[in-house]
Amino acid sequence: KKTTATYSTPTPVRYTPPTKSPVTTPPATYENLLDFGGKGTGNGLFQDATSVAVDSKGRIYVADETLRVQQFSEKGEFLKVWQIPATTKYYKKARTIQKIAVDKKDRLYVLVGGVVQMWEQNTIELPEMTYHAAPDFMVDFALRADGGLLMVSENGENETFIFLAANGKVIV
């Protein structure tokens, strides 16, 4: 008996990208619930917003490239502004605010110039509480559910996690 083998050339598989964009668009029923602010540097205006947060009362906080954090009511009405200093004893020249957050006591935390500043609601003066890890540079932080703070610092070679209890003591 003779065995015959047949061989066929495989058909190349071609990738065809989807015709729809991977970015989803809101459904037709989408409605804008709040619209406020605009481009600029005056109160209630933004110059390249960098971070946003909301407190326990629904107030909205927006940081922008002018080293300030503005506070708005839950309806978008301007309430006040914190002007973050470009220079302090902890940093020589801040150019931008990297991150903001608000804790359960409605205190504003600002990551700027490699340090984390804590601002009380009733003041716009330079905060007394500044968290730093000199000579390291703070690169991120998170508020802990227990009222503490988790920070990440770096020194060019290593990154370090720093856990602070609600009382301000370092957790080892």
Side-chain angles (χ1 to χ4, degrees), residues 46-52 62-66 68 96-100:
F46 311 114
Q47 187 68 38
D48 299 323
T50 58
S51 189
V52 64
V62 181
D64 71 8
E65 289 291 328
T66 62
R68 64 192 176 139
T96 189
I97 294 171
Q98 288 89 11
K99 182 178 183 176
I100 61 173

Side-chain angles (χ1 to χ4, degrees), residues 46-113:
F46 311 114
Q47 187 68 38
D48 299 323
T50 58
S51 189
V52 64
V54 178
D55 70 15
S56 67
K57 295 178 177 74
R59 295 177 294 205
I60 303 162
Y61 299 74
V62 181
D64 71 8
E65 289 291 328
T66 62
L67 289 175
R68 64 192 176 139
V69 178
Q70 297 183 78
Q71 182 189 63
F72 299 87
S73 73
E74 66 280 356
K75 296 177 182 174
E77 300 156 331
F78 174 80
L79 298 174
K80 71 173 153 183
V81 63
W82 286 270
Q83 185 63 56
I84 308 303
T87 304
T88 71
K89 65 182 178 181
Y90 301 108
Y91 55 87
K92 295 191 190 291
K93 179 66 175 153
R95 291 180 177 83
T96 189
I97 294 171
Q98 288 89 11
K99 182 178 183 176
I100 61 173
V102 182
D103 70 9
K104 292 178 184 178
K105 296 180 181 176
D106 293 336
R107 295 178 296 198
L108 172 65
Y109 290 77
V110 179
L111 176 59
V112 60

